[in-house]
Amino acid sequence: MDVQRLELLRELAERHSVTAVARATHRTPSAVSQQLKVLEREAGLPLTERSGRGLVLTDAGRALARSATDVAVALERATAVWDEFRNRATGEVSLVTFPTAGQMLLPGVLQQLAAHTGLIVKCTDMDPELSDFPALTSDFDIVLAHSMRGQVPWGGRGLTVVPLMTEPLDVGLPTDHRLAGRASVGAADVVGETWIGVPDGFPFERIVHEIEQQGGGRVQVSQRFADMRLVEAFIMAGLGIALVPRYTSGGSQPGRLVLKPLRGVDAERQIVALMRPDRAERLAVRTVIDALRTRAARVQAEHTS
Amino acid sequence: MDVQRLELLRELAERHSVTAVARATHRTPSAVSQQLKVLEREAGLPLTERSGRGLVLTDAGRALARSATDVAVALERATAVWDEFRNRATGEVSLVTFPTAGQMLLPGVLQQLAAHTGLIVKCTDMDPELSDFPALTSDFDIVLAHSMRGQVPWGGRGLTVVPLMTEPLDVGLPTDHRLAGRASVGAADVVGETWIGVPDGFPFERIVHEIEQQGGGRVQVSQRFADMRLVEAFIMAGLGIALVPRYTSGGSQPGRLVLKPLRGVDAERQIVALMRPDRAERLAVRTVIDALRTRAARVQAEHTS
DNA sequence: ACGTCCATGTAGCCAAGCTACACGATGGGT
DNA sequence: ACCCATCGTGTAGCTTGGCTACATGGACGT
């Protein structure tokens, strides 16, 4: 029973295609196919089935892939042991973020991690609109994702979830708005306004529905943007109001945008780090995660004081 | 990070010698030495140290060997998964026993396991006097061992321990003995007798000391034997009395030996199965263990009714 | 019906890991 | 104090497992 082969099976379970596995593991499809065949012969029962053009795993294949994860975890834990003996995290850690979290956390994190020589962090940003967060864990060590409170759609998939911070979502208004003087606003105050929304399927969506229910009316959404800068620009131009994450707003032109807490509505988003459990064991990865957590805590502390 | 190499390091941790590892893994010492060297180069820190003629592990080496066990467990669990998918335990299971336990349990176990085609159980017996039970787990899948109540000297070593049964230790008397009519005997009744003992270092020893303390005197030990048949022969010849495990006695010449429970003394031995944790995960091994447990339960039930 | 994409065979190459043998070092036995 | 058994470790050379390159056949979309 070879670990490499198990790893291949696990990749196949995630990527659903021999060619995709081959690309991800820097091999030819032929090599992957051959190894899977050997694994099946060893197992003595079919692990894969043809399904049209591609391959799917059988029940046995899925079960084996699942326990392959445990093997990978144990292995990574072993390498972490000796990393700890050398007292240094080493190697490359890849990370994807959505723009706002990256802007808020990454500069500070990378400055903090500069002290660790030999630790290289490769960051990428990805539009949350296009990205399926759990799927990204196949290609990146750490995936920064956001979700609404309580809602953890990635628990069941066997992924490791590390909560980083919960960020309140406020209502962003232009400084000359009629509500700009209030300390906070309620659903009834804002339900009649023109809104700038987020693309369909975004977690914020649920909050807008809640405002409609509590405020008793229909929200008018004039535009839908994924990029917060764009949203803020529209607010400041007086073209509508919008939900804005509290810690990441402003920056561009302070003084022309005010944020008002939303009373009576559970308006928070959780920012979490998502990882494949084996990746989460690496000392280098854990070091980055620690830096992310301390940085997130500091950001939150700075805003509450 | 290769699993094979980790396995080698783990074997080295158990056997304390490259040549021993080579013998156990059917390789030349040179091959083992080379692989360990590669592992050290990968780790970037020394894992072994010369100590006279042999090798000892450094702290880092021991830590790594420990986590190598977790890897092995995960791997065996994976193969167990597919064994379960085929619904049959297969392969060879090696087992060592001390004579009395083997006599009591193994025939029934092997009869029960005859139903499992493809499952081969290789049994060996070994004099408990000569054997270091924990050390035997390096060479056998299952080690049947005995110990006194509460006393579990093999807990700390990271071995898997499965309790099979607790067997009372009675006082064996010839039928014409002056105490043969009693329902039970106390320490004071037997402390003045001539005893047949067990070799030094045997767990029974502690009970003899307890008899001396409670009975208030010194026990006279005329002979020391490891084999119970021999002990029983001496008892029946009127040459002394001895502690005899209740379930395994008799058989040879019933009617010339009687057993009397010992009042006020904690005279029991525990029979347990000892395994290396990775071996314990194999479905074949677990099947044999299950058979041992049901057989042990039946033996115990037959004697109490 | 055609082209494209996918999985999978076959031949051949490369490297990892083994054996065989030799050498220096250590420690017990006489 | 010597000798010799034993242990770990180098070096040379072979075997084999796993890869690439290329070819083949089946499934889907247009």
Side-chain angles (χ1 to χ4, degrees):
Chain A
M1 159 96 77
D2 185 55
V3 185
Q4 305 252 46
R5 286 193 256 271
L6 281 180
E7 203 66 24
L8 247 44
L9 188 72
R10 193 158 67 99
E11 288 285 346
L12 185 66
E14 287 181 4
R15 302 181 190 272
H16 314 291
S17 135
V18 171
T19 2
V21 173
R23 259 197 304 273
T25 60
H26 310 290
R27 274 186 268 240
T28 54
S30 179
V32 175
S33 179
Q34 289 174 48
Q35 294 307 311
L36 289 175
K37 184 142 296 263
V38 173
L39 192 65
E40 275 200 355
R41 192 156 42 74
E42 280 184 347
L45 45 82
L47 302 173
T48 60
E49 266 176 348
R50 299 200 74 126
S51 157
R53 230 180 339 204
L55 271 189
V56 292
L57 293 182
T58 61
D59 288 344
R62 260 187 299 276
L64 198 55
R66 212 172 309 129
S67 50
T69 303
D70 300 335
V71 176
V73 166
L75 260 176
E76 292 298 345
R77 207 167 282 177
T79 81
V81 162
W82 89 44
D83 270 348
E84 276 160 11
F85 260 89
R86 293 184 303 190
N87 270 327
R88 58 174 175 190
T90 169
E92 197 173 302
V93 176
S94 60
L95 182 154
V96 234
T97 180
F98 52 96
T100 49
Q103 165 202 344
M104 174 171 53
L105 298 173
L106 290 188
V109 165
L110 289 193
Q111 279 168 13
Q112 183 181 335
L113 290 176
H116 295 72
T117 56
L119 177 63
I120 301 163
V121 185
K122 297 263 181 198
C123 299
T124 323
D125 69 324
M126 194 150 286
D127 196 323
E129 180 178 9
L130 306 172
S131 50
D132 173 16
F133 288 127
L136 286 173
T137 56
S138 295
D139 295 312
F140 296 91
D141 295 320
I142 300 176
V143 176
L144 296 188
H146 60 238
S147 71
M148 290 297 99
R149 249 254 298 258
Q151 172 191 2
V152 258
W154 17 73
R157 295 220 212 176
L159 293 179
T160 301
V161 184
V162 176
L164 294 178
M165 66 188 301
T166 74
E167 182 178 18
L169 298 172
D170 293 337
V171 177
L173 307 171
T175 39
D176 54 2
H177 194 275
R178 63 178 174 91
L179 298 169
R182 302 277 196 87
S184 65
V185 297
D189 298 327
V190 293
V191 73
E193 295 282 328
T194 301
W195 282 77
I196 318 287
V198 287
D200 290 327
F202 257 50
F204 291 20
E205 202 71 3
R206 212 213 57 212
I207 298 175
V208 175
H209 287 117
E210 209 172 319
I211 292 174
E212 288 179 334
Q213 285 195 338
Q214 293 202 16
R218 290 285 295 170
V219 158
Q220 178 87 5
V221 175
S222 63
Q223 309 292 341
R224 292 186 177 276
F225 296 121
D227 190 315
M228 272 300 148
R229 299 294 175 100
L230 212 42
V231 173
E232 292 181 14
F234 269 66
I235 297 173
M236 292 187 280
L239 295 169
I241 69 175
L243 286 172
V244 177
R246 184 179 299 170
Y247 305 152
T248 42
S249 78
S252 49
Q253 302 183 33
R256 299 190 44 200
L257 177 72
V258 292
L259 302 187
K260 298 296 159 191
L262 196 51
R263 251 182 296 107
V265 180
D266 183 26
E268 285 179 344
R269 68 170 177 177
Q270 271 208 316
I271 298 179
V272 301
L274 250 52
M275 288 167 288
R276 247 171 44 179
D278 54 325
R279 303 247 171 91
E281 293 294 338
R282 287 180 53 202
L283 180 60
V285 172
R286 275 157 40 200
T287 306
V288 176
I289 288 288
D290 284 346
L292 279 166
R293 284 168 58 180
T294 58
R295 183 71 200 150
R298 168 164 310 192
V299 167
Q300 208 150 11
E302 278 172 4
H303 276 83
T304 50
S305 67
Chain B
M1 158 95 80
D2 184 54
V3 184
Q4 304 251 48
R5 285 193 256 270
L6 280 180
E7 204 65 26
L8 247 44
L9 188 72
R10 193 157 66 98
E11 288 285 346
L12 184 66
E14 288 182 2
R15 301 182 191 272
H16 314 292
S17 133
V18 171
T19 0
V21 173
R23 260 197 304 272
T25 59
H26 311 290
R27 273 184 269 240
T28 54
S30 179
V32 175
S33 179
Q34 289 174 49
Q35 293 308 311
L36 289 175
K37 185 143 294 263
V38 174
L39 192 65
E40 275 199 356
R41 192 156 40 76
E42 281 184 346
L45 44 83
L47 301 174
T48 60
E49 266 176 350
R50 299 199 75 128
S51 158
R53 227 178 346 201
L55 271 191
V56 291
L57 294 182
T58 62
D59 288 344
R62 260 187 300 278
L64 198 54
R66 213 173 308 126
S67 50
T69 303
D70 300 336
V71 175
V73 166
L75 260 175
E76 292 298 345
R77 207 167 279 177
T79 80
V81 162
W82 88 43
D83 271 347
E84 276 160 10
F85 261 88
R86 293 184 302 192
N87 269 327
R88 56 173 176 189
T90 169
E92 198 172 303
V93 176
S94 60
L95 181 153
V96 234
T97 180
F98 52 95
T100 48
Q103 165 201 347
M104 172 171 54
L105 298 173
L106 290 188
V109 165
L110 288 193
Q111 279 167 13
Q112 182 181 337
L113 289 177
H116 295 71
T117 57
L119 177 63
I120 301 164
V121 185
K122 297 264 179 196
C123 299
T124 322
D125 69 324
M126 196 150 285
D127 197 321
E129 182 179 8
L130 305 172
S131 50
D132 172 17
F133 288 127
L136 287 173
T137 57
S138 294
D139 294 313
F140 295 91
D141 295 320
I142 301 175
V143 176
L144 295 188
H146 60 237
S147 72
M148 291 296 99
R149 250 253 296 260
Q151 172 190 5
V152 257
W154 16 74
R157 295 222 212 177
L159 293 179
T160 300
V161 183
V162 176
L164 294 177
M165 66 187 302
T166 74
E167 183 177 16
L169 298 173
D170 293 337
V171 177
L173 307 170
T175 39
D176 53 4
H177 195 276
R178 64 179 172 89
L179 297 169
R182 302 278 194 87
S184 64
V185 297
D189 299 327
V190 293
V191 72
E193 297 281 327
T194 300
W195 283 76
I196 317 289
V198 287
D200 289 327
F202 257 49
F204 290 21
E205 203 70 4
R206 212 214 57 210
I207 298 176
V208 175
H209 287 116
E210 207 171 321
I211 292 174
E212 288 180 334
Q213 284 195 338
Q214 292 203 17
R218 289 287 295 172
V219 158
Q220 178 86 3
V221 176
S222 65
Q223 309 292 340
R224 293 187 177 276
F225 295 121
D227 190 316
M228 273 299 150
R229 298 296 175 100
L230 212 42
V231 173
E232 293 181 15
F234 268 67
I235 297 173
M236 292 187 283
L239 295 170
I241 69 176
L243 287 172
V244 177
R246 185 180 297 171
Y247 306 152
T248 43
S249 77
S252 52
Q253 302 183 36
R256 299 192 43 201
L257 177 72
V258 291
L259 302 188
K260 299 295 158 191
L262 197 51
R263 252 182 297 110
V265 179
D266 182 27
E268 284 179 343
R269 67 168 177 180
Q270 270 208 317
I271 299 178
V272 301
L274 248 50
M275 289 167 289
R276 246 170 46 178
D278 54 326
R279 303 249 169 92
E281 293 294 337
R282 288 180 53 202
L283 180 60
V285 172
R286 274 156 40 200
T287 307
V288 177
I289 288 289
D290 284 345
L292 279 167
R293 284 168 56 180
T294 59
R295 182 71 200 152
R298 168 163 310 191
V299 167
Q300 207 150 10
E302 279 173 2
H303 277 84
T304 50
S305 69

